[in-house]
Amino acid sequence: MATTVMLIRGDGIGPEVIDAAVRAIEATGAVIEWEPMDAGAGAIPKHGAPLPEVTVASIRKNSLCLKGPLATPIGGGYRSVNVALRQEFDLYANLRPARSFPGLVTRYEKVDLVVVRENTQGEYSGIEHFIDPTKNAAESISIITRFGSDRIIRFAFEHARAHGRKKVTLVHKANILKMTSGLFLQVGREIAQSYPDIEFTDIIVDNCAMQLVRDPTRFDVVVTTNLFGDILSDLTAGLVGGLGLAPGANIGEQAAVFEAVHGTAPDIAGKGTANPVAAMIAGSMLLDRVGQKERGVRLEASVRRAIAKGKDLTPDLGGSGTTERFTDRVIEELNAT
Ligand code: ATP
């Protein structure tokens, strides 16, 4: 039976990279029924809102979504659609893998790690205000709960187990933020007892940033709170070639949204030269999620081989190819396996 997946093509280069990803996903033989839906700036003329009710209802029904980058209109009181989706469906886990691409020259080879970022709490709880009438002092409240810590840390351990990973590193700042970050660390130490097959270690965030830059190969699964995860996951994307190659997944109990991490890239939109790699690997994560892991692994391996062969690479990777021609190369690799 076909799995139904909502498809939000998005704004800017979104339609180009998502169409390429859909072609590549289908070339794996995956049986998916795509249900196109509107969101982002492109949804406003038709629906009067960047996150139409019909789109929310459809995600609620189908629970799976592949999404292109979305532009948040400036002004008009619109909040970011990505944040709205995260809140609406309590997508508490942000999964950001970073793996070196053979053939691409970056500072390190053999990086293979995944950042598991808590997506709903901490400094991003959205509780902040000015504390004086002249608006020269402000405060922000960071919320960390045992419930929120427990579910993200368990998610990280379960992810490690399901993907043959050996080590979970919990990143914190418990030496200074003794209660919030301290609680997160405490819960981590407790949960680690239930996973004797996975090595557990913790590290203070500033030291973690330095160690990631000095030798990222010593990290495997990194689990951390919202703000630290936001920063570290862009850092790790940079270590393996930048945001154009970085996939991400936002996962909750009710829904999972797979995406490329990059933005709408208005400077190259419509030119047919956008790099579809991040969207394709997001597609491979989607296949993993829907029980078609083998197809997902084949897709990612084919993308990697196509990059290593270096033919028709898009301009951001130093080539003179197009989105379509590079997608043809990926499909050739898929058909060869
Ligand atoms: P937004 O406002 O939606 O975040 P942005 O242009 O500020 O858009 P990105 O879209 O992340 O931010 O783009 C940053 C730069 O990286 C741009 O110059 C863009 O051309 C380039 N870029 C981003 N994604 C890709 C991609 N998939 N392929 C090629 N270049 C990309």
Side-chain angles (χ1 to χ4, degrees), residues 11-13 17 69-72 243-245 260-269 273-279 314-317 323:
D11 301 309
I13 59 170
V17 297
L70 303 175
T72 300
L243 287 184
L245 301 167
V261 171
H262 59 73
T264 57
D267 50 336
I268 57 163
T273 56
N275 186 347
V277 167
T314 46
D316 59 305
L317 298 183
T323 312

Side-chain angles (χ1 to χ4, degrees), residues 3 13 20 35 130 137 178 199 210 217 224 234 268 273 277 299:
T3 307
I13 59 170
E35 195 171 310
F130 288 102
K178 291 182 193 296
E199 186 188 336
M210 184 183 67
T217 61
T224 190
D234 271 21
I268 57 163
T273 56
V277 167
L299 173 56

